[in-house]
């Protein structure tokens, strides 16, 4: 009798514990993948976190998931400066600072600002310019915090529609906002502050698909095609299937960028600015794709 009572008691406790665990809301987190291509594949050497002059990172802490992209301004090459070094330093420093005690999971602008300050104070001067887009999913409140400088950016797809997207920042056509550090003696250079970033925050839902990309994607792939492709992996938690989707978007962007007969988003915008052009825009391409899962 005592044995049966003890067994029954243990069964009740186990069932009660299972019921409590089932009712506890698990925090959302991101399953993230990346893909891309340098504009000139034959001349570019592979480096982790880089595609040509583009740079990216994916990282996480116990309280947050963080992703970011940056696009080094190619014009610096004519001054003998590697355009990708600035963007790479910026993203690598963001990735490292996430693990520091002062990291704020609600302020991607602060993360960018601290990274930019380290770049300015670096003993070895790293000249150049870069756009940047950083997103932080705060697991404690299921809210996505975003900061975007320039013409890289993000879209969030839910139910086959864009529910959130970044705002492109341009001084004038094809001249985006950018963080800069000119070499000594060159003062007349566009330079924006991290605090000038376009910022947003909004709650996410399970199954949301987030695309973060450089302008090599947005200048070449029509938005409807992007949304249709992303909709195919809504709610997907399998990183292999997400990687296949990211690969597909990167390949589409690269193919269209070299299509001289295609009326690309870049060409459409150029014509709006009285520039008669046709075709895609060859560029480095970076795709970071993330799915919101439990």
């Amino acid at each position: 009798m005592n044995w049966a009572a003890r067994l029954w008691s243990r069964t009740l406790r186990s069932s009660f514990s299972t019921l409590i665990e089932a009712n506890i809301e698990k925090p959302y987190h991101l399953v993230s993948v990346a893909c891309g291509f340098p504009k000139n594949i034959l001349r570019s050497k592979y480096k982790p976190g880089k595609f040509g002059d583009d740079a990216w990172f994916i990282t996480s802490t116990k309280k947050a998931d963080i992703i970011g992209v940056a696009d080094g301004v190619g014009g610096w090459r004519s001054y003998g400066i590697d355009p990708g070094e600035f963007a790479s330093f910026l993203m690598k420093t963001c990735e490292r600072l996430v693990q520091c005690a002062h990291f704020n999971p609600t302020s991607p602008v602060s993360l960018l600002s601290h990274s930019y300050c380290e770049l300015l104070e670096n003993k070895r001067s790293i000249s150049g310019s870069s756009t940047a887009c950083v997103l932080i999913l705060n697991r404690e409140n299921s809210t996505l915090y975003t900061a975007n400088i320039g013409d890289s950016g993000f879209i969030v797809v839910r139910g086959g529609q864009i529910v959130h997207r970044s705002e492109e920042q341009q001084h004038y056509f094809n001249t985006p906002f950018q963080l800069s550090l000119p070499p000594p003696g060159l003062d007349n250079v566009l330079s924006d502050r991290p605090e000038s970033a376009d910022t947003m925050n909004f709650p996410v839902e399970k199954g949301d698909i987030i695309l973060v990309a450089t302008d090599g994607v947005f200048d070449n792939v029509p938005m409807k095609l992007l949304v249709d492709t992303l909709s195919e992996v809504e709610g997907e938690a399998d990183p292999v299937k997400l990687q296949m989707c990211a690969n597909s978007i990167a390949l589409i962007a690269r193919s269209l960028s070299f299509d001289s007969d295609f009326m690309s988003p870049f060409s459409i915008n150029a014509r709006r600015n009285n520039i008669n052009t046709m075709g895609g825009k060859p560029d480095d391409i970076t795709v970071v794709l993330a799915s919101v899962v439990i």
Side-chain angles (χ1 to χ4, degrees), residues 24-32 60-66 136-144 158 202-208 210 235 290-294:
I24 295 176
E25 291 188 7
K26 295 182 179 179
Y28 291 148
H29 68 277
L30 299 180
V31 176
S32 304
S60 63
T61 68
K62 291 181 179 179
K63 296 182 179 180
D65 297 285
I66 309 92
I136 301 174
L137 174 61
N138 187 334
R139 295 183 182 182
E140 294 186 334
N141 60 7
S142 299
T143 298
L144 193 68
R158 180 188 304 157
F202 47 84
V204 295
E205 295 183 8
K206 180 185 177 183
D208 285 354
I210 304 166
S291 179
V292 179
V293 302
I294 294 180

